[in-house]
Amino acid sequence: MKGARLCLLLGAALLVGSVGGCIEFGVTQPQALFTASPAGHVIPFTASFDGTLSRKAGCDIVSYVWTFGDGGGATGPLVDHTYTADGIYEVTLTVIDESGASDCTAVTVDAENPVPTATFSYSPKSTMDGAYIIGASEWVTFDASASTDDSGITAYAWDFGNGDKASGAVVEYRYTYPGSYNVVLTVTDDDGDASSYTQLIEVIGNNPCGSGSGSSGGSCS
Ligand SMILES: [Ca+2]
Ligand SMILES: [Ca+2]
């Protein structure tokens, strides 16, 4: 993996410049170890990394060098890093002891994509008995442009609750028959995650001419 390769290269480069000084019997290299908390979360989030678990071997560890996989880096045994873009990141820790000996290890952090937030409004609409209504056969604009996402909505899908469907951020639609309809908007983001938002729409008015309905039957002029 890319992160592991980076880890090895960084460790090798640091070893080249090593200096002696900590000579103990049976000394081996230090061992880099760390925890990530949390190791996965929806962005944005701050992860804490604890490198104090790293083992020293004869010499004290004098340097902790971190790369966070997104271009960021830090030094020190305890560090925090905030991820603002979703992705899988390889976090590396390189520890160096007084003798210049080093070790490196990597952990994967999953910065998860937030699902989009779907919402829409529609107009024109009137108020009757405290509820919004629209008229049968009236053209209505359904507008989903207030929907949001961290990195972009790529699709808007409409279901008007009567079998009719449409796509696009802003659509014009008119109902033929009065009734109550659940309008479902589903938005999909550029990472392929989707979410939906539903509004109950009350459509009043007459059935269309020739529909053979009852008391509110259509008027044919
Ligand atoms: Ca998203
Ligand atoms: Ca995203």
Side-chain angles (χ1 to χ4, degrees), residues 43 86 112-117 148-152 189-193:
I43 61 163
D86 51 85
E112 300 165 21
N113 173 55
V115 298
T117 300
T148 57
D149 185 61
D150 64 296
S151 52
D189 70 13
D190 58 353
D191 290 294
D193 286 322

Side-chain angles (χ1 to χ4, degrees), residues 120-126 132-135 138-144 158 170-174 199 201:
F120 70 84
S121 59
Y122 60 95
S123 65
K125 59 190 171 188
S126 306
Y132 288 122
I133 56 169
I134 61 177
E138 179 182 22
W139 282 103
V140 177
T141 300
F142 290 85
D143 186 348
W158 301 87
V170 181
V171 298
E172 305 284 327
Y173 183 73
R174 62 177 177 180
Q199 274 197 67
I201 308 289

Side-chain angles (χ1 to χ4, degrees), residues 4 7 18 44 86 88 125 170 173 180 188 196 218-219:
C7 193
S18 68
D86 51 85
I88 305 290
K125 59 190 171 188
V170 181
Y173 183 73
S180 299
T188 305
S196 296
S219 58

Side-chain angles (χ1 to χ4, degrees), residues 113-216:
N113 173 55
V115 298
T117 300
T119 189
F120 70 84
S121 59
Y122 60 95
S123 65
K125 59 190 171 188
S126 306
T127 306
M128 186 175 75
D129 297 333
Y132 288 122
I133 56 169
I134 61 177
S137 299
E138 179 182 22
W139 282 103
V140 177
T141 300
F142 290 85
D143 186 348
S145 57
S147 302
T148 57
D149 185 61
D150 64 296
S151 52
I153 294 172
T154 57
Y156 300 81
W158 301 87
D159 183 331
F160 293 104
N162 58 358
D164 284 354
K165 299 181 190 312
S167 62
V170 181
V171 298
E172 305 284 327
Y173 183 73
R174 62 177 177 180
Y175 284 92
T176 304
Y177 299 98
S180 299
Y181 301 94
N182 272 317
V183 177
V184 182
L185 165 70
T186 301
V187 297
T188 305
D189 70 13
D190 58 353
D191 290 294
D193 286 322
S195 66
S196 296
Y197 172 71
T198 302
Q199 274 197 67
L200 184 66
I201 308 289
E202 296 290 346
V203 180
I204 64 158
N206 295 327
N207 283 313
C209 176
S211 65
S213 61
S215 59
S216 63

